[in-house]
Amino acid sequence: METLKRDRSPFGDAVALLVCGVLAGILAAAAAFPLAGLFGMAAENSIQSFESLPTELTKPTLPQTSYVYASDGETLITSFFEENRREVALDEVSPLMVEALLAAEDSKFYEHNGVDWAGIIRAAVANQGGDSQGASTLTMQFVRNTLIYSASTIDEVIAASEDTYERKLREARYAMAIEESMSKEEILEGYLNVIYLGNQAYGVHAGSYSYFNKPPSELTLAEAATLASLPKFPSFADGLLDSETEGDDDSQILERRNWVLQRMADLGSVSQAEADEAIALPLGLNPRAERNECVDVATSNWGFFCDYFKEWWASNPAFGETERDRISLLNRGGFRIVSSLDAELQNEATEELADEVDVDNPEALGSVTITPGTGHVRAMAVNRNYSLDQTDNGPRSDGNDDKPSNYPNTTIPLLSGNEEVNGYPGGSTFKMFTMLAALDKGWPLETRVPSPGRYTSQYLMSGGALDESTSDCDHFTKDGEQYGHWCPTNDGNWSAAPLNMWGMFGRSSNTAFVRLQEMVGVSAAYEAAVASGVDFYNSPLNEAYENGTIDESQGTFTLGLHSTTPLEMAESYATVAAGGLHCEPLPVMKVVGADGTEWTDAAAPQCDQAFSEEVAYAAVSAGRCVVGQNADGTQCSGSGTAASAASGFGRPLFGKTGTADSNRSYWFIGATPNAATATFVGDPDATHRANVASQSLKTSVKEVGIAILKDAVRDLDEEDWPEPSDDMVNGKNLTSIPSIDCMDPDDARSRVANAGFDAAIASGQFDSDCKEGEAFGTSPTGSAPDGASVYILVSNGKDYEEDEPGDDETSGGPGGPGGDRD
């Protein structure tokens, strides 16, 4: 389509502008007011010079739809919009669409200069006779609609649409000025992108897809005429795409479409035969549902990922200064977003989870999969429907009937959590953080820690905590208050000779890990968890760490009594799998603006080295014992807690199971070098309800966790980790711990302290063949990093024989709380 050429001199333009200004005021008013009052308008308004064009017209920024796709870049997840619109260039629109619009709206578009004077006079005369006619040209409609749809306040909308002669005069002036600054093709392109076509479709691109599910370049004659019939009467089509109103009367839109077709034939745009053939056709609607927001995703199980994506966008300063600004940009910015969601993996995971635990079950079975080294979130699946309709939900398990339960329908972020949703107790999965802290402090994998069935720890309980505890022992009175040491046990009270880290992690010894935590400090284990990716929303851990009381008050940390989310646990174990490289969870792979500019920084992985590779690969080696993989450099002992479930996995793997106290939740976290999956069962309504994780559900968690991870790596290259270094296995620059032989505890403490250790006398007494009250050994024994915590063990005299005093410095050493035998 050629640009209309007009020959003008500067003097002629000036005269024309002055005359047009006067005529615009008079004639625009004529269309709105009776002729009798026409010449009573103020002459001042009608002879003003043309106003400056507002930025909205010279550089229009119309709201556009943002589309979110799965990782394949083709599968649409949902869209976000205030106005469903996608701008297109004129050459992306069928010429038939252009001809149909010109026939319907402005057949003299290429002849006038923005205002159709003859049309205004004709409308004014007709209006005096009682008819109602408009005289707006396509250019004037472009001006009006652009100002309306670019408005940011209700006052701006009213100013652009109110039915007053001042508005019509301003509109006419703008139209003539637009014709001076833009070509006809530019105006036409702008109009095609701004018009409203009903059913929340703004612009020809949205209309073409909304009604016919095709790009505007592929519209047929009948389809083009249908869309062209809507700018004046968009209400004709409202409801036609609603399945609940299927079969509604479409006679009005058919009548208007056929009028457009005949008008095209009369103007010579098409032949009469072509028009007649199109008139004989039905509407032929083939609508594409326009998804909007996360409650309208293409597949309901994608809603939890979508919700996480939206939260991520809203919190990302790359998209604006405030959360409101960022969401506004998403709804108006016309982005093309390729997310990290693996649609196939998501669907498979959802099906596998629902097969194990039905959606109508109060127990939530969920799983999150992350890519180590990038943080890309590939799947967020749970046996729930993401839906606002919770009217038929089941009864709440916590007895609080003031709000709906979370099953089967919910929009609670069960997998990602937020500041209001803390997650579920992490159980023995937290032992990873204690081990990381120990490895980072120089304790080697060969460090051997006693694993008794019950262990008297150094952590004290008092008051209400002491009254409620079933794991307290060694009571004593101090300052008039009753105290007791926390005495955790292994599950079933199993015990073992001192275990190295492979053995204690693979068998999940509670007592050994509480002792290991005493050796490194709760604060160090907490720091390892945070560095790995756990945030501890609303947890007393954060305050205790800040005020310096965490090492005394939070001894249960390593057993995971505190809450976390599946997303955080997948993130933290992915950190280990990636050689200590921590990456923030990332739901996008590419973000492209409406102008085609790629927002590379916003979509780039945000990573930092949380631990050295040596530390991470040593932790991986211990984690392989959990899943029964005694690989090169790994020295497992006993049966790993997930060895049976992982026996057929078939590629390098490490992991950890975790039972929360009183079976409130259960976890299996598994990872390969290129995929990490955290699977859990818990009760979102009552996250601290006891006995949620039955034995059968624990089996389900392990089996479905392995199945999802196997799906996740199916099409990925098989990779492996390097063996742990000799320094991580046997230690580097370790100092020998002095032997203790039935001696005074204070003397023993001095001996150990003089060797360069942080020496202290252990709480409680232990079986040995020394006299009661004598120091007989240390925990740990052998060698340790310089400055490490070493406890002096005191005998209870149980095995003492008067004639043969004993000297065993290793028997009966303190262990740590109970084991996760699942």
Side-chain angles (χ1 to χ4, degrees):
M1 198 174 294
E2 296 183 0
T3 303
L4 183 65
K5 305 295 184 182
R6 288 169 287 186
D7 295 325
R8 292 180 178 154
S9 68
F11 177 74
D13 281 347
V15 172
L17 290 175
L18 179 59
V19 173
C20 289
V22 175
L23 289 176
I26 296 173
L27 295 177
F33 294 92
L35 287 174
L38 174 60
F39 298 105
M41 290 186 295
E44 181 181 355
N45 283 337
S46 60
I47 62 174
Q48 289 176 342
S49 62
F50 285 95
E51 302 172 41
S52 299
L53 285 172
T55 305
E56 292 89 338
L57 293 176
T58 57
K59 295 180 180 179
T61 53
L62 300 174
Q64 294 192 65
T65 301
S66 293
Y67 293 98
V68 182
Y69 297 89
S71 59
D72 61 6
E74 297 178 358
T75 304
L76 181 65
I77 296 174
T78 194
S79 56
F80 293 88
F81 58 82
E82 291 178 1
E83 297 172 2
N84 179 23
R85 175 189 289 108
R86 192 74 175 178
E87 292 191 48
V88 291
L90 189 59
D91 59 9
E92 297 177 82
V93 179
S94 168
L96 290 172
M97 183 71 236
V98 176
E99 294 292 347
L101 274 172
L102 292 178
E105 299 296 323
D106 191 352
S107 61
K108 296 182 179 180
F109 175 69
Y110 280 95
E111 300 173 16
H112 61 64
N113 68 339
V115 178
D116 181 3
W117 310 114
I120 288 179
I121 294 174
R122 184 173 58 253
V125 173
N127 290 343
Q128 303 313 305
D131 292 335
S132 179
Q133 290 188 16
S136 294
T137 63
L138 187 147
T139 309
M140 294 172 68
Q141 292 181 53
F142 167 65
V143 168
R144 183 188 317 131
N145 287 320
T146 301
L147 292 177
I148 290 173
Y149 299 137
S150 298
S152 57
T153 67
I154 189 63
D155 290 339
E156 291 176 357
V157 173
I158 293 173
S161 59
E162 59 185 347
D163 191 16
T164 64
Y165 80 87
E166 288 92 346
R167 190 269 296 172
K168 291 177 181 287
L169 172 60
R170 182 172 61 250
E171 196 173 281
R173 286 174 169 172
Y174 283 160
M176 288 185 286
I178 282 287
E179 293 267 349
E180 291 296 315
S181 61
M182 296 173 63
S183 70
K184 287 288 187 179
E185 283 69 30
E186 290 172 331
I187 295 169
L188 186 57
E189 180 179 292
Y191 177 76
L192 285 165
N193 285 308
V194 77
I195 51 174
Y196 178 57
L197 299 173
N199 286 295
Q200 297 301 307
Y202 292 82
V204 68
H205 180 276
S208 184
Y209 275 101
S210 293
Y211 295 103
F212 301 110
N213 196 18
K214 61 173 60 175
S217 61
E218 298 178 8
L219 291 168
T220 67
L221 175 58
E223 292 166 348
T226 299
L227 294 185
S229 69
L230 296 177
K232 272 192 174 65
F233 307 103
S235 60
F236 284 2
D238 284 341
L240 285 179
L241 306 185
D242 189 341
S243 59
E244 295 181 1
T245 59
E246 186 175 356
D248 278 6
D249 183 10
D250 59 5
S251 58
Q252 288 179 308
I253 192 171
L254 272 171
E255 181 180 348
R256 176 69 177 171
R257 180 202 70 174
N258 294 344
W259 177 87
V260 173
L261 288 167
Q262 186 57 54
R263 177 75 171 151
M264 293 176 72
D266 293 343
L267 292 171
S269 302
V270 297
S271 69
Q272 186 63 53
E274 290 171 321
D276 291 341
E277 182 180 355
I279 288 172
L281 295 174
L283 281 181
L285 300 179
N286 178 30
R288 179 182 79 174
E290 288 301 333
R291 309 287 176 189
N292 189 21
E293 293 281 347
C294 296
V295 292
D296 195 24
V297 292
T299 301
S300 63
N301 70 72
W302 299 351
F304 295 98
F305 174 86
C306 176
D307 182 80
Y308 175 67
F309 158 77
K310 187 176 179 182
E311 287 293 323
W312 171 83
W313 185 286
S315 64
N316 194 327
F319 303 120
E321 292 186 5
T322 67
E323 180 176 326
R324 181 177 180 179
D325 292 339
R326 298 161 195 160
I327 293 299
S328 177
L329 181 65
L330 177 63
N331 289 332
R332 298 170 61 92
F335 290 93
R336 184 180 187 278
I337 301 158
V338 178
S339 79
S340 59
L341 181 71
D342 183 330
E344 182 179 5
L345 176 61
Q346 173 74 19
N347 292 339
E348 289 174 337
T350 301
E351 183 176 348
E352 287 162 342
L353 292 165
D355 284 347
E356 293 288 337
V357 180
D358 189 76
V359 296
D360 289 317
N361 196 306
E363 282 74 43
L365 181 64
S367 186
V368 174
T369 302
I370 280 182
T371 301
T374 65
H376 286 132
V377 181
R378 293 180 58 197
M380 299 181 73
V382 65
N383 62 330
R384 294 292 187 269
N385 303 318
Y386 190 87
S387 173
L388 292 170
D389 182 9
Q390 295 157 24
T391 55
D392 295 325
N393 276 15
R396 289 185 63 91
S397 56
D398 63 357
N400 182 4
D401 296 328
D402 293 335
K403 53 185 178 180
S405 72
N406 73 87
Y407 67 97
N409 298 337
T410 188
T411 57
I412 299 172
L414 302 179
L415 301 169
S416 56
N418 55 25
E419 292 186 358
E420 287 74 41
V421 181
N422 300 330
Y424 318 88
S428 291
T429 60
F430 275 33
K431 291 172 182 173
M432 171 62 79
F433 308 131
T434 305
M435 183 168 63
L436 286 168
L439 292 167
D440 192 50
K441 284 181 173 290
W443 292 98
L445 287 165
E446 274 290 6
T447 299
R448 294 185 178 269
V449 179
S451 181
R454 181 180 177 90
Y455 172 54
T456 302
S457 77
Q458 310 307 306
Y459 304 112
L460 296 178
M461 294 186 296
S462 63
L466 185 64
D467 295 336
E468 297 173 6
S469 173
T470 59
S471 299
D472 60 274
C473 60
D474 191 25
H475 289 200
F476 62 93
T477 302
K478 179 181 179 181
D479 298 331
E481 186 170 0
Q482 188 74 12
Y483 287 87
H485 288 276
W486 177 47
C487 296
T489 62
N490 286 328
D491 184 29
N493 289 320
W494 67 272
S495 61
L499 297 171
N500 59 23
M501 289 192 197
W502 289 292
M504 57 195 287
F505 196 74
R507 299 177 64 181
S508 198
S509 170
N510 289 342
T511 56
F513 264 97
V514 171
R515 177 65 193 104
L516 185 65
Q517 180 179 259
E518 290 174 338
M519 292 158 58
V520 300
V522 179
S523 55
Y526 167 87
E527 289 168 355
V530 172
S532 299
V534 184
D535 291 325
F536 297 114
Y537 287 124
N538 301 324
S539 172
L541 286 168
N542 297 326
E543 183 178 354
Y545 180 78
E546 292 296 328
N547 63 28
T549 64
I550 192 169
D551 287 303
E552 296 78 29
S553 65
Q554 301 295 326
T556 61
F557 176 83
T558 195
L559 300 191
L561 272 66
H562 296 278
S563 294
T564 183
T565 67
L567 180 66
E568 287 183 338
M569 293 312 291
E571 173 188 355
S572 61
Y573 275 64
T575 298
V576 180
L581 183 67
H582 167 250
C583 298
E584 295 289 340
L586 183 62
V588 301
M589 303 185 76
K590 182 181 291 187
V591 177
V592 181
D595 61 356
T597 301
E598 187 171 347
W599 292 46
T600 53
D601 290 343
Q606 302 296 312
C607 304
D608 61 277
Q609 196 69 36
F611 309 101
S612 70
E613 289 187 346
E614 275 197 327
V615 166
Y617 295 144
V620 166
S621 182
R624 300 188 76 164
C625 294
V626 174
V627 295
Q629 292 192 355
N630 205 347
D632 291 342
T634 297
Q635 303 172 32
C636 303
S637 62
S639 177
T641 57
S644 177
S647 60
F649 189 73
R651 60 168 70 194
L653 169 71
F654 82 93
K656 185 70 185 75
T657 56
T659 304
D661 183 51
S662 301
N663 291 312
R664 292 176 293 162
S665 62
Y666 186 78
W667 300 75
F668 172 70
I669 307 172
T672 72
N674 44 21
T677 297
T679 306
F680 84 107
V681 67
D683 184 353
D685 279 351
T687 58
H688 287 74
R689 177 166 67 89
N691 300 318
V692 171
S694 64
Q695 191 58 46
S696 63
L697 284 178
K698 292 178 181 179
T699 300
S700 293
V701 169
K702 287 184 286 192
E703 291 181 348
V704 77
I706 289 291
I708 292 172
L709 187 56
K710 186 177 290 187
D711 293 337
V713 301
R714 181 176 52 226
D715 298 324
L716 303 180
D717 293 337
E718 181 174 328
E719 300 178 22
D720 202 351
W721 298 279
E723 297 179 25
S725 67
D726 183 69
D727 286 347
M728 300 308 300
V729 171
N730 298 305
K732 181 180 181 180
N733 299 325
L734 299 181
T735 302
S736 295
I737 301 173
S739 61
I740 303 299
D741 183 15
C742 296
M743 59 190 299
D744 179 79
D746 287 332
D747 291 341
R749 180 173 55 187
S750 296
R751 177 185 293 184
V752 173
N754 291 336
F757 298 103
D758 180 12
I761 298 175
S763 300
Q765 295 182 335
F766 307 90
D767 295 349
S768 87
D769 53 9
C770 290
K771 291 181 181 179
E772 182 180 2
E774 288 184 335
F776 68 91
T778 62
S779 178
T781 61
S783 300
D786 189 45
S789 171
V790 175
Y791 283 99
I792 311 301
L793 306 182
V794 177
S795 175
N796 58 14
K798 179 180 178 181
D799 299 325
Y800 172 70
E801 296 181 7
E802 187 70 34
D803 296 331
E804 297 179 13
D807 186 25
D808 184 84
E809 65 182 37
T810 62
S811 64
D820 178 2
R821 297 293 288 169
D822 299 302

